[in-house]
Amino acid sequence: MSNFTILVVDDTLTNIELLSSILEDVPYDVRVATSGEAALRSLEVKLPDLILLDIMMPGLDGFQTCEQIKSNPRTRNIPVIFLSAKDRIEDKIKAFEVGGIDYIVKPFHAKEVLVRVHTHLSIYQLQYELQEKIRLIDDNIITSETTLEGIITKVSQALCDISGYTKEEFIGQSHQILRHPDMPHELYEELWSTIQSGQTWEGEIKNLAKNKEHYWVKATISPKRDANGVITGYRSFRQVITDHKRVQELSITDGLTHLYNRRYFNEVLPKEIKRSLRQEEILSFLMLDVDHFKRYNDTYGHQAGDAVLEQIGRALQTQFKRREDFVFRLGGEEFGAIYTTLNAHDSQKIAQELCARIEALKIPHQANDVSAFVTASIGVVILDGTDPNASNADEAKLYKQADQALYRAKENGRNQVSFQ
Ligand SMILES: [Mg+2]
């Protein structure tokens, strides 16, 4: 590491010579200027690490020179130590007022000058490193701080970069502005109750950027405490996990319809059965098959067939838009839905609505022998979680029953729902 550079400014040559010899022994690199004007010109060429500045000089005096140094953003942070024969308290005060950090009275002692120079260089260096680290954190770590009420008081540049909002747009708002509609309010309730009880909450959150795109973060949110341990607000650290989530989404999503795929269905069905038994809920599993789809493809081509599957996928999503519902493309022209209702009657009503909804899409299908349009047959099996006899239900049995119901709907003339 190179030596620190000290700029010595004094109009008296003997002072310059003496200071130079003291400082060069350390060794520091010493540059000299014999007037305030010369000092300012020297700063334009190269910045020193510290300035020793005489007060009484012809032309610009030390105070005026210091004021100019401190008013220039480029030189403002360089520490200035005054050196003067003036020993009046007013002069010392003035020296600090114009931005000096220390004051040495002439005639000076070599050791005192060195100790003060060394001290201020260390502080300056530490401050610089601290600022660098703060900037590094600000640029790279997604953090924010809020009041107890959740009002944002601080955000890092990294949070601005990922969200598209400026610091000014964040301050005074709540984190609601990042809230994605896909995130259930239960998650936020759990988050708040955790941090309000003084604990740290950790979890994955889908956030909405200003441009309406989304990104996933793994968030750690913890209470911020004052010196007495009293919670004064909350602090969050977030790590972007969008790529990881995208891979996860791809592996459980059907590429054509963007519904969940069969693999995910195999995961969800047993879990939902257990959950409905535990919570004593009415769970329905619906299987849907497009009527005479092979004939449709033969008549209109596979591309048109794919478009039909996409439309049916959207019809399912419209029908089952509650968070707790699941819709799947089980393969080919076969779809599935898992949903809960208050009673069996509601489940049947929903299935009938879906059946009617598909015919109402009015997609012409001249080879369909039950309608002029594309239709679907639906089989539904209802698992009554409140029934003690249901406790031996499993996914294989449920799947078979739904499949049988679907078969009956086909047998009975298609474009209808059959219940098990
Ligand atoms: Mg002088």
Side-chain angles (χ1 to χ4, degrees):
M1 184 181 150
S2 66
N3 293 339
F4 287 112
T5 303
I6 318 285
L7 175 63
V8 176
V9 188
D10 202 306
D11 61 322
T12 309
L13 215 56
T14 49
N15 282 342
I16 287 190
E17 283 169 357
L18 183 55
L19 283 166
S20 297
S21 71
I22 295 169
L23 295 167
E24 278 165 353
D25 272 355
V26 174
Y28 292 123
D29 289 336
V30 177
R31 283 161 52 207
V32 298
T34 53
S35 69
E37 291 84 348
L40 294 176
R41 279 198 301 276
S42 166
L43 290 177
E44 281 170 23
V45 180
K46 193 166 176 270
L47 297 180
D49 297 297
L50 185 142
I51 301 170
L52 286 174
L53 186 55
D54 183 26
I55 293 177
M56 282 192 293
M57 295 183 289
L60 282 182
D61 68 13
F63 294 142
Q64 292 166 323
T65 308
C66 190
E67 277 174 335
Q68 295 214 16
I69 291 168
K70 295 296 162 186
S71 63
N72 182 345
R74 210 176 131 256
T75 53
R76 156 189 308 159
N77 294 322
I78 304 169
V80 173
I81 300 177
F82 282 105
L83 278 166
S84 179
K86 291 179 140 201
D87 198 14
R88 295 187 312 153
I89 189 71
E90 293 85 349
D91 292 313
K92 291 184 182 173
I93 291 171
K94 176 113 196 249
F96 287 102
E97 279 173 354
V98 297
I101 48 156
D102 209 347
Y103 193 100
I104 301 174
V105 180
K106 291 178 189 173
F108 46 79
H109 301 279
K111 276 191 177 165
E112 185 189 3
V113 172
L114 287 177
V115 166
R116 289 184 189 253
V117 165
H118 176 76
T119 301
H120 288 297
L121 280 174
S122 304
I123 294 172
Y124 177 57
Q125 195 65 17
L126 284 174
Q127 267 177 347
Y128 177 77
E129 281 171 21
L130 195 62
Q131 271 166 8
E132 277 294 286
K133 291 219 164 79
I134 289 170
R135 200 176 54 81
L136 210 65
I137 289 171
D138 193 49
D139 284 353
N140 296 289
I141 311 284
I142 304 171
T143 66
S144 60
E145 290 185 11
T146 71
T147 62
L148 288 174
E149 294 75 32
I151 302 300
I152 298 170
T153 52
K154 270 186 200 168
V155 292
S156 67
Q157 187 55 45
L159 177 53
C160 297
D161 292 346
I162 182 96
S163 67
Y165 290 101
T166 64
K167 288 193 180 185
E168 292 70 29
E169 287 173 316
F170 268 121
I171 307 297
Q173 297 284 327
S174 82
H175 276 286
Q176 283 279 0
I177 65 170
L178 296 177
R179 185 160 171 174
H180 195 284
D182 283 2
M183 286 284 101
H185 64 93
E186 292 88 353
L187 180 132
Y188 290 96
E189 281 170 14
E190 189 216 323
L191 187 164
W192 271 102
S193 72
T194 304
I195 59 177
Q196 278 171 343
S197 70
Q199 312 285 308
T200 294
W201 184 88
E202 275 185 3
E204 295 179 351
I205 302 178
K206 188 178 191 176
N207 275 158
L208 196 62
K210 192 178 181 182
N211 66 5
K212 302 297 168 208
E213 281 178 20
H214 77 263
Y215 59 94
W216 277 93
V217 292
K218 182 163 180 276
T220 304
I221 304 170
S222 37
K224 213 178 88 185
R225 295 168 194 275
D226 66 12
N228 298 318
V230 177
I231 298 176
T232 57
Y234 304 103
R235 179 183 285 141
S236 87
F237 291 92
R238 288 147 194 261
Q239 189 190 346
V240 178
I241 52 166
T242 307
D243 289 347
H244 163 77
K245 277 286 174 186
R246 196 160 285 154
V247 169
Q248 199 179 55
E249 277 168 8
L250 281 177
S251 72
I252 62 171
T253 308
D254 171 57
L256 179 68
T257 60
H258 305 294
L259 302 183
Y260 290 128
N261 60 19
R262 177 127 205 160
R263 180 199 305 190
Y264 194 56
F265 167 78
N266 291 337
E267 233 176 86
V268 169
L269 184 60
K271 279 187 200 161
E272 282 299 294
I273 291 172
K274 284 198 195 77
R275 193 190 54 77
S276 75
L277 294 174
R278 194 173 60 240
Q279 299 179 355
E280 300 189 350
E281 285 184 354
I282 313 280
L283 183 77
S284 298
F285 169 43
L286 172 155
M287 263 171 95
L288 177 152
D289 190 87
V290 184
D291 294 326
H292 294 307
F293 189 65
K294 188 181 175 303
R295 290 187 196 169
Y296 186 92
N297 276 336
D298 291 345
T299 314
Y300 301 94
H302 283 276
Q303 234 171 348
D306 281 354
V308 168
L309 296 177
E310 286 179 80
Q311 274 184 278
I312 290 185
R314 280 197 291 275
L316 273 146
Q317 275 172 326
T318 308
Q319 186 71 50
F320 298 102
K321 54 176 173 274
R322 296 176 312 169
R323 281 203 55 78
E324 56 272 31
D325 298 337
F326 295 91
V327 280
F328 307 90
R329 182 176 175 210
L330 296 174
E333 68 271 30
E334 200 172 272
F335 294 84
I338 298 173
Y339 57 102
T340 48
T341 50
L342 289 177
N343 51 55
H345 174 75
D346 283 353
S347 168
Q348 293 172 0
K349 213 176 111 199
I350 286 170
Q352 302 284 9
E353 271 174 24
L354 176 65
C355 194
R357 185 187 293 278
I358 285 166
E359 191 172 18
L361 293 172
K362 293 196 169 17
I363 307 166
H365 185 354
Q366 62 188 30
N368 191 1
D369 56 12
V370 294
S371 168
F373 305 112
V374 166
T375 57
S377 300
I378 293 173
V380 182
V381 56
I382 298 170
L383 173 67
D384 184 352
T386 63
D387 180 356
N389 297 324
S391 63
N392 61 351
D394 66 39
E395 57 272 23
K397 205 182 290 174
L398 219 63
Y399 189 87
K400 196 174 163 208
Q401 287 174 330
D403 199 37
Q404 284 167 349
L406 175 59
Y407 181 78
R408 266 200 319 278
K410 294 269 183 199
E411 285 291 289
N412 293 342
R414 296 187 168 82
N415 191 21
Q416 61 185 274
V417 185
S418 172
F419 297 93
Q420 180 68 33

